[in-house]
Amino acid sequence: MNIKVQFCGLLVLIFLAISYGHKKRLNLITSRVYMGCLYSSMMCLVLDILSVIGIVYRNEFPAHLPEFICKSYLASLVLVSLIATIYISTTLSFRLHFYKKLISVFVVFGIVIEALIYLLPITMCEIPEESLVWTEGPSCYATYVGVFLLILINLIQIFRHSEYIFPRQRTTVIIWMFVWLGAAVIQAMNSHLLVVGFGCALGIATVFAQFENPELNMDRATGLFNYAAFNRYAEQLYGGTKDFYVIAVVFENAAWQYIGDPASVTKMFNAFLEIPGASAFKIMEKQVLLFFTKHEQVVSAWDSLMQRPKTKETEATYYLIENPRCGSSQRDLIELLQYVSIQKKVAKPGSFYVIHDDIVSEMVAQRMMTQQIFDALAEDRVVVYYQPIYSIEKKRFTSAEALVRIIDRDGKLILPGEFINIAENNGMITEIGKRVFEKVCRFFRENDLQNYGMQYIEVNLSVVQCADEKLADNYIKIMNDTKLDPAYINLEITESASVDAKQVLIANMERMIEYGISFSLDDFGTGASNLNYIVDMPVKLVKFDREMSRAYFTSRKAKYVMDAAMHMIHGMGLEIVAEGIETEEQYNMMEKIKIDYIQGYYFSKPLSEQDFLELLRQE
Ligand code: C2E
Ligand code: MG
Ligand code: MG
């Protein structure tokens, strides 16, 4: 009898089922569907064998039994292909929700084919001399059409939405479908070569080896689930509707690397993270995520982690993400942890930190702003506004401060308060700074601003730029390229946080001063720039911050400090700009106390290039 191939296929599948069964595994819907394929395909091979036996001994069985077995075998072939299609549709349904409805359509289609298989006639054929049997007739044709269409649907959905399917899953299922189709073609051309069931089993084994083997989800060093498993599990949770909760444990040391004996590492981690209801994933060298699907479980886990005795190996910081869903995917989750640990400079090891929704919105806003800056740089929407600075002595505008803005795609202005900080954190400030500087140089030169009485333009430098060893080179190159006389540039600095940064800044300043650029100290009186800083820094101007200029009118103490500071600054031969002067009264007071320059809305808000030129022309 031609049943050897089927036996081989069956053995392969039994082996897979056993090895799947006794491994630690994740609760994945798609894996369950896959197991459905595996079991139905085992059933298919058994029915295949039974139908061969049924045909050979058909005279010894009750009248319709062999025919029923043959049709059941055909029906099981359709079932396997239906579940294979659902396997991919389920994966897609996590991202594309209409697939949930499509699955029902596929099921109805499958049922119709199954009904046809049982309703249509079948012919059992045999060559007794060669002991070969097979079936033919309309019932078989319905099966071929059904299976072929389901495989086709499966391939179409894979190719159409390949970006939503894990690459390995995609490749292996494609291999499976083609091996199966190949077997079907062979069987269609030689009807007694019964290889369809075997072909399907081979395909299923491929998917197992490359994607569904639970071992592929394990981290060898720790015995926890690995990053790939995390990806699949999170995809399922974010694609579903049920709530879930996450605790992140960020270890101080990647202890598993140093403890040595793998078995004891595994034991330690399993014991340490043995928490009821948790699925634990090692997603980075020192990061473990615990996922929960029940609120009471995460609450009790959080408490029990707090109580747990801490050892050196397991020293860690803990984060509870109350509502991971306020991000939209696992990517947001990872980014959130990074964001919190970097931006919030969270705490020492051993601390417990609850991440609320507002931090997530903050992160998302920050990410959008990063994109906004990136696009603005690419599309040349970073522009410079100019705020004139009035000389009390000369009674006219003698300089201006260049202030950066981004124009968004709708033409709205975004002020530096919204993006400078973010750009400093992600390093984009260097590019913004260069862009602004270049624009200022060109603007000055193309319009010969010196002819309007402009002695120089003040340009802000971020502390990040000041600590950049290439700053002087970059800026001198821009000045050389634009051929602007360096005397027309004054760079505003603020106090740097670290000593190292200060060294680099001084070196940068010395090179640029030698080249001909002058400097001023911005934000004086805010804590970002103080008196002792003026002593060290080769600046020629000091800018009193808006708050300080204001405090002069409201606080007696501030008045004393400002008077004293002014006295010393003038004593050192430096000049003073008061920022944020809005009223005539404020202006008069500044004049009285002998401030040198005034910058503020009293004279003008920051203006676009055109408006600024207009203002200068009117003057
Ligand atoms: P800053 O350098 O102290 O600039 C002065 C800020 O005070 C400007 O805000 C200006 O519009 C505002 N201002 C001036 N006069 C008045 C007034 O009378 N009343 C009020 N309420 N505000 C006044 P802006 O343009 O929003 O810039 C804010 C900060 O962003 C700047 O403070 C500076 O630290 C930073 N910034 C601006 N442009 C750049 C740049 O190109 N590079 C860098 N690194 N930072 C920049
Ligand atoms: Mg400034
Ligand atoms: Mg300022």
Side-chain angles (χ1 to χ4, degrees):
M1 280 185 283
N2 42 349
I3 54 175
K4 296 183 199 76
V5 191
Q6 292 92 314
F7 262 116
C8 292
L10 193 56
L11 277 179
V12 170
L13 293 183
I14 290 172
F15 172 76
L16 294 187
I18 293 173
S19 63
Y20 187 87
H22 75 267
K23 277 175 189 153
K24 177 179 167 188
R25 54 182 193 269
L26 258 182
N27 179 13
L28 292 170
I29 300 173
T30 42
S31 293
R32 289 210 296 268
V33 177
Y34 168 80
M35 285 315 283
C37 271
L38 199 148
Y39 292 129
S40 58
S41 147
M42 274 163 95
M43 183 178 83
C44 173
L45 283 163
V46 170
L47 286 166
D48 195 356
I49 294 166
L50 287 181
S51 58
V52 173
I53 298 171
I55 297 173
V56 174
Y57 300 103
R58 58 189 174 281
N59 299 329
E60 287 153 51
F61 282 110
H64 289 293
L65 189 60
E67 185 183 320
F68 179 75
I69 296 176
C70 288
K71 286 185 170 178
S72 297
Y73 158 65
L74 295 178
S76 70
L77 271 178
V78 174
L79 183 67
V80 179
S81 42
L82 176 64
I83 302 180
T85 309
I86 294 176
Y87 174 61
I88 290 297
S89 320
T90 310
T91 309
L92 290 173
S93 72
F94 298 144
R95 297 284 195 92
L96 304 166
H97 295 295
F98 64 88
Y99 263 95
K100 292 194 176 111
K101 291 208 182 91
L102 267 186
I103 290 175
S104 330
V105 176
F106 298 154
V107 170
V108 170
F109 174 76
I111 292 173
V112 170
I113 299 288
E114 303 280 13
L116 284 176
I117 291 172
Y118 282 104
L119 291 174
L120 295 170
I122 192 168
T123 319
M124 291 178 273
C125 318
E126 187 183 12
I127 309 177
E129 310 80 66
E130 296 176 36
S131 61
L132 293 175
V133 299
W134 68 94
T135 51
E136 277 178 14
S139 181
C140 293
Y141 305 140
T143 310
Y144 293 148
V145 171
V147 171
F148 178 75
L149 284 179
L150 283 166
I151 292 180
L152 194 67
I153 290 172
N154 209 4
L155 288 172
I156 290 174
Q157 61 182 2
I158 291 174
F159 286 116
R160 252 211 94 188
H161 302 296
S162 59
E163 70 271 32
Y164 299 131
I165 309 173
F166 297 100
R168 273 181 175 220
Q169 185 184 23
R170 192 170 59 214
T171 338
T172 51
V173 174
I174 292 173
I175 294 174
W176 173 15
M177 294 298 113
F178 278 105
V179 169
W180 200 8
L181 271 181
V185 170
I186 294 174
Q187 184 165 335
M189 293 194 309
N190 317 275
S191 18
H192 55 274
L193 270 181
L194 307 182
V195 292
V196 165
F198 179 73
C200 179
L202 271 189
I204 288 179
T206 314
V207 179
F208 184 88
Q210 292 291 319
F211 190 68
E212 285 294 352
N213 184 349
E215 252 170 45
L216 297 172
N217 290 332
M218 304 308 295
D219 177 65
R220 275 170 209 271
T222 55
L224 305 175
F225 292 118
N226 61 15
Y227 187 81
F230 156 73
N231 234 342
R232 285 188 70 183
Y233 191 62
E235 184 91 358
Q236 168 177 319
L237 290 175
Y238 278 102
T241 49
K242 291 208 190 80
D243 281 336
F244 62 97
Y245 315 90
V246 178
I247 292 177
V249 187
V250 181
F251 290 97
E252 258 320 273
N253 321 297
W256 40 76
Q257 287 184 350
Y258 309 113
I259 296 181
D261 168 30
S264 72
V265 176
T266 311
K267 223 161 116 198
M268 186 194 87
F269 273 93
N270 284 332
F272 184 72
L273 297 168
E274 177 63 65
I275 293 166
S279 307
F281 300 83
K282 187 192 130 192
I283 55 157
M284 272 178 231
E285 222 16 65
K286 299 180 183 180
Q287 256 183 47
V288 171
L289 292 187
L290 305 170
F291 275 78
F292 300 84
T293 47
K294 295 210 172 69
H295 191 256
E296 59 284 4
Q297 283 173 338
V298 72
V299 171
S300 82
W302 191 240
D303 288 343
S304 93
L305 283 170
M306 281 187 179
Q307 250 101 71
R308 209 155 280 210
K310 308 289 183 297
T311 64
K312 198 171 170 303
E313 286 83 19
T314 54
E315 195 163 71
T317 313
Y318 299 81
Y319 301 88
L320 170 64
I321 299 138
E322 282 187 316
N323 177 18
R325 254 190 215 294
C326 54
S328 59
S329 68
Q330 59 267 43
R331 218 192 87 216
D332 288 358
L333 187 64
I334 304 270
E335 199 183 320
L336 178 66
L337 287 167
Q338 227 163 358
Y339 178 79
V340 174
S341 58
I342 296 171
Q343 303 271 307
K344 304 285 166 196
K345 301 202 174 49
V346 160
K348 355 179 247 316
S351 53
F352 287 76
Y353 190 88
V354 180
I355 301 180
H356 299 287
D357 284 14
D358 51 340
I359 301 183
V360 183
S361 345
E362 191 184 301
M363 178 198 80
V364 172
Q366 177 154 333
R367 186 204 297 156
M368 278 159 60
M369 187 48 81
T370 303
Q371 186 65 45
Q372 174 79 266
I373 300 172
F374 185 85
D375 294 342
L377 282 168
E379 295 162 17
D380 196 19
R381 287 188 281 106
V382 174
V383 298
V384 183
Y385 271 49
Y386 295 86
Q387 186 175 31
I389 296 174
Y390 185 82
S391 158
I392 294 185
E393 186 202 335
K394 298 196 170 136
K395 302 259 171 288
R396 63 173 175 83
F397 295 130
T398 51
S399 62
E401 176 169 6
L403 295 159
V404 66
R405 273 100 181 88
I406 284 176
I407 303 181
D408 73 8
R409 287 195 180 134
D410 302 328
K412 226 179 77 234
L413 274 193
I414 306 174
L415 294 177
E418 287 183 63
F419 62 87
I420 291 288
N421 244 326
I422 295 173
E424 284 179 337
N425 286 331
N426 63 24
M428 285 170 149
I429 191 69
T430 311
E431 192 50 41
I432 295 180
K434 277 200 315 204
R435 193 70 68 88
V436 167
F437 189 65
E438 196 179 330
K439 288 198 177 213
V440 171
C441 294
R442 274 189 211 296
F443 179 61
F444 199 107
R445 211 178 119 75
E446 279 164 13
N447 296 285
D448 292 321
L449 295 187
Q450 72 278 13
N451 296 343
Y452 297 97
M454 286 290 111
Q455 295 169 349
Y456 50 82
I457 301 287
E458 292 171 18
V459 188
N460 290 283
L461 278 182
S462 145
V463 282
V464 175
Q465 290 177 280
C466 294
D468 174 3
E469 279 158 5
K470 293 200 283 289
L471 174 76
D473 285 341
N474 288 339
Y475 273 39
I476 289 174
K477 176 167 189 305
I478 292 174
M479 302 219 55
N480 284 337
D481 291 350
T482 49
K483 302 193 181 66
L484 181 73
D485 181 347
Y488 296 142
I489 293 294
N490 177 283
L491 295 177
E492 294 185 1
I493 57 161
T494 51
E495 191 164 335
S496 301
S498 76
V499 180
D500 285 351
K502 193 172 160 186
Q503 294 306 321
V504 180
L505 168 60
I506 292 181
N508 274 324
M509 286 175 83
E510 280 168 354
R511 278 209 53 204
M512 289 198 267
I513 288 173
E514 193 184 321
Y515 184 75
I517 296 176
S518 63
F519 282 84
S520 51
L521 186 72
D522 200 3
D523 299 343
F524 183 80
T526 57
S529 298
N530 292 302
L531 257 186
N532 58 352
Y533 212 66
I534 304 179
V535 179
D536 297 346
M537 288 295 161
V539 293
K540 73 166 198 182
L541 266 178
V542 176
K543 301 190 74 173
F544 281 10
D545 186 69
R546 183 163 88 229
E547 291 310 317
M548 178 144 156
S549 310
R550 287 220 182 126
Y552 192 84
F553 299 95
T554 52
S555 143
R556 262 170 49 119
K557 269 193 197 160
K559 187 172 175 314
Y560 283 125
V561 174
M562 206 162 142
D563 282 336
M566 224 165 49
H567 193 73
M568 285 198 276
I569 294 167
H570 277 148
M572 285 187 263
L574 311 179
E575 294 186 302
I576 299 174
V577 184
E579 283 187 337
I581 302 304
E582 292 185 351
T583 63
E584 188 166 3
E585 183 205 355
Q586 291 173 343
Y587 172 78
N588 290 334
M589 181 64 81
M590 292 295 132
E591 188 173 22
K592 206 171 115 202
I593 63 173
K594 302 226 154 28
I595 293 279
D596 307 278
Y597 301 98
I598 300 293
Q599 178 180 356
Y601 293 176
Y602 175 61
F603 286 108
S604 168
K605 290 198 166 185
L607 302 170
S608 67
E609 290 183 352
Q610 255 50 48
D611 293 346
F612 179 63
L613 279 177
E614 194 56 36
L615 177 91
L616 292 184
R617 282 187 192 123
Q618 279 170 16
E619 290 284 310

